[in-house]
Amino acid sequence: MLLNSRIFAGAADLTGQSNKVELACEVEDKDVTAFKPAGDPDAGWAEVLGGLASTSISASGQWEAGDPGRVDDESWAALAGRSRHPWTICPVSAAVGELAWVAEALRTEYTLGDAVGEVAPWEAQASGTAPLLRGQVAHPPGTARTASGSGVALNLGALTAGQRVCASLHVLSVAGTAAPVITARVESSGTSGFATATTRATFAAAGTPGGQVARVAGPVTDTWWRLAWTISGTAPSFLFMGAVAVA
């Protein structure tokens, strides 16, 4: 029974504003059926090859507005910019190491409003522009960071030449008295202790709430991965959520 789910889209944590989320991944089946020689056990059966793959996201809930963390603000920003935003779906606790689904998707539809007296609803649709990936939470959303640091090591494995790591970053809130900025990065190492850390990708510096995706192409022989961050400014404090997945 689906009771709890955490939904992050761009700068918004939609968990308390949502009651439905669906992820779909589809591969086109292309017919390549040909004549078979007499006696072939496959004769009379269709034969297909995998074509283009696609990802879609559907979510809905109760409408709220007023800051970048609310569904209305985030949805309008995504639609107006016609930009791809990260989506991360995970269990309600969003603890480090828990399962996370990561997608980069274009917001294609946003619906709000209903009859008088009804609880104001919203519905959103997004189409993926990259594979839907299955990974792990790399940084929890409820831990405020006020100084540079690094997260917990995750054993996601090495990358072959045809694989890549995809990391999502959702900066949920920013506080500080003078130009607070966070620059997050994806690091790898051959050991869990990260005696030697290699920066594989760096997110754009962020001084306001928002979402980003970073990718690392294989091959990479390191098997351990983590998020790390550099924070600057006066009295800075950031809440952010991140996940890392291998495809």
Side-chain angles (χ1 to χ4, degrees):
M1 182 177 293
L2 183 61
L3 297 177
N4 298 307
S5 184
R6 206 72 182 262
I7 307 170
F8 300 90
D13 179 355
L14 300 177
T15 307
Q17 308 164 52
S18 61
N19 54 26
K20 178 182 177 181
V21 62
E22 294 182 352
L23 302 174
C25 189
E26 180 179 334
V27 177
E28 292 181 344
D29 55 332
K30 297 295 187 179
D31 191 285
V32 292
T33 307
F35 293 118
K36 300 291 193 301
D40 191 312
D42 293 334
W45 291 88
E47 183 178 357
V48 297
L49 291 177
L52 294 176
S54 61
T55 298
S56 63
I57 303 171
S58 301
S60 61
Q62 296 82 32
W63 182 87
E64 292 185 356
D67 65 59
R70 303 301 184 185
V71 64
D72 194 67
D73 301 67
E74 194 282 330
S75 296
W76 278 112
L79 286 169
R82 296 179 180 173
S83 56
R84 299 173 295 182
H85 284 199
W87 288 71
T88 304
I89 316 298
C90 61
V92 71
S93 59
V96 172
E98 287 191 326
L99 173 66
W101 293 91
V102 178
E104 186 177 15
L106 176 70
R107 188 67 61 86
T108 57
E109 183 178 333
Y110 174 54
T111 306
L112 66 156
D114 205 329
V116 62
E118 297 296 331
V119 175
W122 64 269
E123 295 182 3
Q125 304 285 336
S127 296
T129 58
L132 175 65
L133 304 181
R134 189 174 187 271
Q136 297 180 32
V137 175
H139 189 275
T143 301
R145 299 296 183 181
T146 59
S148 301
S150 57
V152 175
L154 302 173
N155 187 3
L156 300 178
L159 302 181
T160 65
Q163 289 184 304
R164 60 181 169 178
V165 155
C166 180
S168 62
L169 175 69
H170 304 271
V171 179
L172 305 174
S173 70
V174 179
T177 57
V181 172
I182 182 170
T183 304
R185 60 190 181 275
V186 181
E187 294 182 341
S188 70
S189 177
T191 62
S192 60
F194 273 76
T196 301
T198 301
T199 297
R200 299 295 178 178
T202 302
F203 295 94
T208 57
Q212 300 181 49
V213 171
R215 292 185 175 84
V216 180
V220 175
T221 58
D222 291 344
T223 57
W224 291 89
W225 300 81
R226 71 181 183 185
L227 292 183
W229 54 89
T230 300
I231 290 177
S232 60
T234 303
S237 181
F238 293 85
L239 286 175
F240 64 94
M241 187 274 178
V244 182
V246 174

